[in-house]
Amino acid sequence: MTDPRHSIRLDDFQQLIGTMYGSRDVARGVDGTFMWLMEEVGELAEALRKGTQQDRLEEFADVLAWLTTIANVVGIDLSEAIIRKYGSGCPGCGQLDCQCDQAEKP
Ligand SMILES: [Zn+2]
Protein backbone atom coordinates (compact mmCIF):
# COMPACT_ATOMS: atom_id res chain seq x y z
CA MET A 1 0.00 0.00 0.00
CA THR A 2 1.44 3.32 -1.05
CA ASP A 3 0.53 6.34 1.03
CA PRO A 4 1.09 9.79 -0.51
CA ARG A 5 1.89 11.36 2.89
CA HIS A 6 5.49 12.28 3.60
CA SER A 7 5.00 13.27 7.19
CA ILE A 8 2.70 12.52 10.09
CA ARG A 9 2.22 14.42 13.30
CA LEU A 10 3.06 12.54 16.45
CA ASP A 11 -0.39 13.09 17.93
CA ASP A 12 -2.00 11.80 14.74
CA PHE A 13 0.26 8.73 14.85
CA GLN A 14 -0.65 8.08 18.48
CA GLN A 15 -4.32 8.35 17.63
CA LEU A 16 -3.86 6.03 14.63
CA ILE A 17 -2.14 3.41 16.79
CA GLY A 18 -4.95 3.70 19.32
CA THR A 19 -7.59 3.26 16.63
CA MET A 20 -5.84 0.22 15.13
CA TYR A 21 -4.80 -1.58 18.32
CA GLY A 22 -6.24 0.23 21.35
CA SER A 23 -8.65 -2.40 22.62
CA ARG A 24 -6.24 -5.33 22.25
CA ASP A 25 -3.41 -3.26 23.74
CA VAL A 26 -5.43 -2.47 26.84
CA ALA A 27 -6.42 -6.16 27.12
CA ARG A 28 -2.74 -7.23 26.87
CA GLY A 29 -1.69 -4.70 29.45
CA VAL A 30 1.48 -2.76 30.01
CA ASP A 31 3.71 -5.70 31.03
CA GLY A 32 3.05 -7.77 27.90
CA THR A 33 3.23 -4.72 25.70
CA PHE A 34 6.56 -3.72 27.21
CA MET A 35 7.92 -7.17 26.34
CA TRP A 36 6.92 -6.61 22.71
CA LEU A 37 8.70 -3.26 22.73
CA MET A 38 11.86 -4.92 24.03
CA GLU A 39 11.63 -7.59 21.34
CA GLU A 40 11.33 -4.90 18.69
CA VAL A 41 14.29 -3.00 20.17
CA GLY A 42 16.30 -6.20 19.75
CA GLU A 43 15.20 -6.47 16.14
CA LEU A 44 16.20 -2.82 15.58
CA ALA A 45 19.65 -3.57 17.00
CA GLU A 46 20.01 -6.45 14.56
CA ALA A 47 18.82 -4.31 11.64
CA LEU A 48 21.27 -1.54 12.56
CA ARG A 49 24.11 -4.03 12.76
CA LYS A 50 23.53 -6.12 9.65
CA GLY A 51 20.21 -5.21 8.05
CA THR A 52 19.33 -3.35 4.90
CA GLN A 53 17.95 0.19 4.95
CA GLN A 54 14.51 -1.37 4.35
CA ASP A 55 14.96 -3.57 7.44
CA ARG A 56 15.98 -0.52 9.49
CA LEU A 57 13.02 1.50 8.19
CA GLU A 58 10.62 -1.22 9.33
CA GLU A 59 12.22 -1.73 12.73
CA PHE A 60 12.29 1.99 13.55
CA ALA A 61 8.57 2.08 12.71
CA ASP A 62 7.89 -0.96 14.90
CA VAL A 63 9.80 0.41 17.90
CA LEU A 64 8.00 3.73 17.67
CA ALA A 65 4.65 1.95 17.27
CA TRP A 66 5.17 -0.21 20.36
CA LEU A 67 6.46 2.74 22.40
CA THR A 68 3.36 4.66 21.33
CA THR A 69 1.17 1.71 22.27
CA ILE A 70 2.54 1.69 25.81
CA ALA A 71 1.88 5.42 26.07
CA ASN A 72 -1.73 4.75 25.04
CA VAL A 73 -2.12 1.93 27.57
CA VAL A 74 -0.96 4.14 30.46
CA GLY A 75 -2.66 7.29 29.19
CA ILE A 76 0.35 9.39 28.27
CA ASP A 77 0.04 11.97 25.49
CA LEU A 78 3.38 11.65 23.70
CA SER A 79 3.21 15.10 22.11
CA GLU A 80 2.62 16.68 25.50
CA ALA A 81 5.43 14.61 27.03
CA ILE A 82 7.93 15.64 24.35
CA ILE A 83 6.94 19.30 24.39
CA ARG A 84 7.20 19.42 28.17
CA LYS A 85 10.58 17.72 28.29
CA TYR A 86 12.32 18.82 25.06
CA GLY A 87 10.18 21.67 23.75
CA SER A 88 12.45 24.38 25.16
CA GLY A 89 15.78 22.72 24.40
CA CYS A 90 17.98 20.22 26.20
CA PRO A 91 16.44 19.32 29.57
CA GLY A 92 19.94 19.28 31.07
CA CYS A 93 21.33 22.65 30.01
CA GLY A 94 18.32 24.38 28.44
CA GLN A 95 20.18 25.05 25.18
CA LEU A 96 19.00 24.18 21.67
CA ASP A 97 22.59 23.14 20.91
CA CYS A 98 23.32 20.98 23.96
CA GLN A 99 26.23 22.24 26.06
CA CYS A 100 26.10 19.48 28.67
CA ASP A 101 29.30 17.75 29.67
CA GLN A 102 30.04 14.89 27.23
CA ALA A 103 30.15 12.46 30.16
CA GLU A 104 26.54 13.25 31.07
CA LYS A 105 23.59 11.46 29.49
CA PRO A 106 22.11 14.17 27.20
ZN1 LIG B 1 22.37 19.78 27.34
Side-chain angles (χ1 to χ4, degrees), residues 90 92-95 98-100 106:
C90 170
C93 64
Q95 303 296 310
C98 176
Q99 304 298 317
C100 292

Side-chain angles (χ1 to χ4, degrees), residues 49-79:
R49 190 164 288 191
K50 56 190 178 189
T52 64
Q53 279 298 83
Q54 180 63 33
D55 295 334
R56 293 170 181 162
L57 182 149
E58 291 179 16
E59 298 306 334
F60 271 106
D62 286 344
V63 167
L64 189 58
W66 283 105
L67 184 69
T68 303
T69 285
I70 294 173
N72 280 342
V73 171
V74 298
I76 292 293
D77 181 324
L78 280 180
S79 291

